[in-house]
Amino acid sequence: MIEKGAIAAGHELTAKAGIEVLRAGGNAFDAAISACLAACVCEPVLASPGGGGFAMIRTGSDEVSVIDFFARTPRHVSPGAIDYKEIHADFGPATQKFHIGAASSATPGFVQGIFTLHNKFGRLPISDLFTSAIQYAKHGFELTPFQHFLQQVVSPILTATASAREIFAPDRKLLAVGDHFKNPELADFLKQMAKKGPAAFLQG
């Protein structure tokens, strides 16, 4: 068991997921994977299985390496591509343009990335690293002020489709601070991914 460790995260439950893995005998890579999965539930504006990322790795030596699993844009775009529109994220003092819709999506690398990271460096069974995220998504948690702020910033994205509104704005308005937020369908998907690996994602 690791006696000392530190985890930085944007939500208390994200950090808790990593901490629990360390206490269970996992290493830093296991903790990072567990925290990333939890972030997809607790910090959905910032993290998603449909996204991507990078892992900067330093083991016992001084060598540093990177696993690049960032999302990839298509090499070719269909001339007839539709479902592409501009929205404005309101940060208060400033706004920023984003584009949403099916035609704005890139090929995600997140799922393949975390499994690659685990295959190379993980210690605990990969299914153990999904436990916290699945529980958070299934049973839910109270929305924090910071997460509520982030959802307000990108509210045009979170309310753009009926399926998104069902999760983030079930009464046609965003959930408020302290409201119970859960995503049981994401819990089901994470369960399948824990069992089947990347194939669960690639097969839809």
Side-chain angles (χ1 to χ4, degrees), residues 119-153:
N119 289 339
K120 288 179 176 290
F121 302 105
R123 178 185 297 165
L124 297 181
I126 186 70
S127 58
D128 290 359
L129 310 184
F130 281 80
T131 302
S132 292
I134 291 170
Q135 292 303 309
Y136 298 161
K138 180 179 179 181
H139 299 294
F141 51 91
E142 287 189 3
L143 199 66
T144 66
F146 181 59
Q147 294 306 316
H148 175 64
F149 165 73
L150 291 177
Q151 292 187 10
Q152 285 183 310
V153 169

Side-chain angles (χ1 to χ4, degrees), residues 16 21 86 142 165 170:
K16 183 181 178 182
V21 164
E86 180 181 297
E142 287 189 3
R165 288 192 298 272

Side-chain angles (χ1 to χ4, degrees), residues 98-121:
F98 286 93
H99 292 89
I100 66 172
S104 71
S105 299
T107 302
F110 176 88
V111 174
Q112 189 67 52
I114 62 169
F115 275 90
T116 297
L117 186 63
H118 180 265
N119 289 339
K120 288 179 176 290
F121 302 105

